[in-house]
Amino acid sequence: MNRYTKISCLFLSLFLSAAAYGQRKKDVPLYKDAKQAVEDRVQDLLSRMTLEEKVMQLNQYTLGRNDNANNMADPVNDIPAEIGSLIYFSSDPGLRNKVQKKAMEQSRLGIPIIFGYDVIHGFRTVYPISLAQACSWNPVLVEQACAVAAQEARMSGVDWTFSPMIDVARDGRWGRVAEGYGEDPYTNAVFGVASVKGYQGNDLSDPARVAACLKHYIGYGASEAGRDYVYTEISDQTLWNTYMPPYLEGVKAGAATLMSSFNDISGTPGTANRYILRDVLKERWGHDGFVVSDWGAIEQLRPQGVAKDKKEAALKAFTAGVEMDMMNKSYDTHLGALVKEGKVSEDMLNDAVKRVLRVKFRLGLFDRPYTQVSKEKERFLLPKSLAIAERLAEESIVLLKNKNKTLPLSGVAKLAVIGPMANSKWHLLGSWRAQGNAEDATTVYEALKKDFQGKAQVMQAAGCDFDGNDRSGFEEAKKVGASSDAIIICLGEKAQWSGENASRSTIALPQIQEELLMELKKLGKPLILVLSSGRPLELNRLEPVCDAILTMWQPGIPGGKPVSGVISGRVNPSGKLSMTFPYSTGQIPIYYNHRQSARPHQGKYQDIPSTPLYDFGHGLSYTTFEYGELKASVLKARPDGKIAVEVPVKNTGDTDGMETVHWFISDPVSTISRPVKELKYFEKQLIKKGETKVFRFEIDVKRDFGFVSNQGKKYVEDGDYYVIVKDKKVKIEVGR
Ligand code: BGC
């Protein structure tokens, strides 16, 4: 081939490939071209959609638990190919793919379905409940655990989790305190952000990540008297300073979606609340993902008394800013008509559809709609995943009392493990266990046998059930206790006593459990109380008679291993409470960051103490830490200034240990009455025995000393502020 022929060939092939490219461009719509920008793809697809297709994108139905032909075939056939989303109750990628195929091949435009699910504290590798996670004060670990959940879920066909729940909650009667990170706004913000990062990573299209959902926007944790689904009374001040901060941080962290709440906020339901959904979330904060209603929350606007029928409920929720209807069948039935009647504008509809499509594009669903089929053992319970869950469970355990160093146990030849929780697997997983299998968990009894192998004989007896009046097991329990050198009594709550629709009127343990403990106390042996629950418990009768008390919350699959590690000394406990343990139920709501009162020295209860049994932040270690004085880089600062405050902490005990330093601020004199103290930062570090570590809080005056007005604006006043760590504080003067 001579030079000219070569050049002509080159031109010919360039021409042919350009033609082929042109051809492809003409045949393949822009929205299907992975190389195009997400916004262009969204716009292109939207321009091709009919009203009905748009409306269908805004609905979420459910897809059942298994692929059993009797039970699944119909539902798969019933699901419209144009549906926007499904709640996916299965862990089988094959089933997802079957349904997705229908959407891709039978809908006119081939729009993939987004599959959502409640992956709350793990998918198959269930790790501790969120309330416990916060007691670890280790957001890095929580991020890792959420990444494990994301990987297991996405590889099983789930693209989107309805998590994290970042509802500040101060009433332990409410079953859902288990699902959030406790009573403090900053704590909820930090752990909410950690989970968003763990779920989403840097790229939603990563086949091991899922989209997150901040819920329940907003104020659900303030449900009156701890009853579920009811009303809340929240002032603007409290809304902005207590309930909003975790959501603002979650949105800043890039959470793809939010879920509207069931409750009303001083009369306006979260699901019809234009101010918080449209004005604040979308306009002020610029969130460009979508909001899904809670399950049935749109049609519930009727019983809530703000809509006369489902159509009006659809209108109110949609115009307020709820883009996706979770199991109400209200948008699919009424939204089209509402648009045709001019009650919902085309612009608003288009904006809603764009938000849903945007998240789908970001998840890569248009380019990879199907989940790669893998074996369960390739995605579940991987050694690395189990190690993260176990470490998180270890760090979540809070040692509440340890009289005369009862723990760690040593020199015992016979150990009795008694109580309804002693050999339970099921209840250790807590509520919202996703695809968790109790058989994967180790009981406390099993774990202790292993840890004490060759050192002590471990004997077990239930003694009684979690509730009821059957005392027939007491005798055997007493016999086992009498023949031991120490008694570990494992009490607590059934898994179903917390979570959604699981309120209790008292946070005390059922009487039969308390009685069992009192009977065992009579044996005169060291008595160690191990608790498992989804909420703080009322322990005032039990506390004085126990030598040691620890709570393992609901630890998930690691089960009894971490707590057995603490009892045997394999693990040095480092958890601290993320929620106050009241002295008794009658103190509720009781939380550390209450406002200043008119007569702090008076106004006490006449019949019970007015202080909690265990404060927020309480938690013991097997070592001791000595805090030095706080040192500030400057004692005067401008409102836009920065200050660094340091505190040295020395491990003065005889074992290595992890310590969390909680940094609080207070503003004793302000235009409005502010909380007695507010957590603004925390840090956990390992400190070797004899070693001193310096902890440092970099203060941004406006961010950390400021307050949010009832219009949602952050401001800082001139005056004296205090930075507080334990009983030490330093005064900082702020002036212009
Ligand atoms: C709960 C949500 C949950 C949803 C889907 C609702 O009842 O309040 O937290 O995500 O159901 O299961």
Side-chain angles (χ1 to χ4, degrees), residues 87 118 162 176 215-216 259 262 294-295 326 432 500:
I87 302 187
D118 288 283
F162 308 132
R176 305 201 80 166
K215 73 183 191 186
H216 308 80
M259 186 183 292
F262 286 129
D294 203 342
W295 184 299
M326 179 195 282
W432 295 110
E500 186 179 350

Side-chain angles (χ1 to χ4, degrees), residues 365-619:
L365 294 179
F366 283 85
D367 313 318
R368 282 179 307 283
Y370 304 109
T371 305
Q372 198 186 333
V373 176
S374 58
K375 296 203 180 78
E376 288 202 353
K377 65 171 198 265
E378 289 166 347
R379 60 194 135 107
F380 293 155
L381 306 167
L382 306 178
K384 198 171 136 243
S385 311
L386 290 171
I388 291 170
E390 188 164 336
R391 204 175 137 210
L392 184 53
E394 286 171 357
E395 294 200 23
S396 304
I397 291 172
V398 185
L399 178 62
L400 296 166
K401 176 176 180 178
N402 195 16
K403 194 171 99 190
N404 302 329
K405 298 195 177 171
T406 305
L407 292 178
L409 273 184
S410 62
V412 286
K414 286 187 167 183
L415 196 52
V417 194
I418 296 174
M421 198 60 89
N423 207 20
S424 158
K425 287 176 188 267
W426 178 260
H427 298 294
L428 296 176
L429 266 56
S431 62
W432 295 110
R433 53 189 60 201
Q435 302 293 340
N437 179 353
E439 285 315 305
D440 297 333
T442 310
T443 70
V444 178
Y445 169 55
E446 290 165 350
L448 283 167
K449 270 199 301 190
K450 194 154 177 238
D451 272 314
F452 282 89
Q453 201 170 15
K455 288 184 234 153
Q457 184 194 346
V458 184
M459 302 162 298
Q460 184 261 334
C464 64
D465 203 347
F466 287 88
D467 53 1
N469 295 310
D470 184 359
R471 290 164 179 74
S472 60
F474 275 28
E475 278 318 307
E476 203 219 328
K478 285 200 283 190
K479 220 189 290 162
V480 170
S483 66
S484 71
D485 302 318
I487 300 173
I488 296 168
I489 177 161
C490 304
L491 304 180
E493 294 188 313
K494 288 186 177 177
Q496 60 269 31
W497 290 357
S498 57
E500 186 179 350
N501 197 14
S503 301
R504 297 184 63 210
S505 71
T506 169
I507 59 165
L509 288 171
Q511 200 185 336
I512 191 150
Q513 295 196 44
E514 291 206 3
E515 261 178 49
L516 176 67
L517 184 139
M518 294 304 176
E519 285 299 312
L520 296 174
K521 174 68 190 168
K522 291 180 193 158
L523 300 174
K525 314 274 173 164
L527 189 59
I528 297 134
L529 171 59
V530 170
L531 296 163
S532 174
S533 64
R535 53 164 65 74
L537 296 169
E538 172 179 312
L539 299 176
N540 66 67
R541 290 167 298 283
L542 308 183
E543 198 274 344
V545 301
C546 295
D547 296 287
I549 306 178
L550 27 85
T551 175
M552 60 173 165
W553 305 104
Q554 288 154 335
I557 293 302
K561 274 199 243 169
V563 88
S564 163
V566 171
I567 292 169
S568 63
R570 178 168 53 79
V571 174
N572 184 359
S574 63
K576 295 188 180 201
L577 294 178
S578 58
M579 191 168 178
T580 301
F581 267 52
Y583 176 85
S584 69
T585 304
Q587 287 185 332
I588 292 175
I590 186 165
Y591 46 93
Y592 87 90
N593 43 356
H594 56 83
R595 285 200 296 275
Q596 304 175 77
S597 63
R599 293 189 184 181
H601 56 292
Q602 283 190 322
K604 315 271 189 220
Y605 291 113
Q606 298 178 59
D607 52 342
I608 55 165
S610 290
T611 47
L613 189 62
Y614 298 120
D615 286 314
F616 174 86
H618 172 72

Side-chain angles (χ1 to χ4, degrees), residues 23-35:
Q23 182 73 24
R24 194 168 73 228
K25 271 195 92 172
K26 218 162 68 188
D27 292 349
V28 178
L30 187 148
Y31 75 92
K32 289 198 172 168
D33 182 352
K35 288 192 221 71

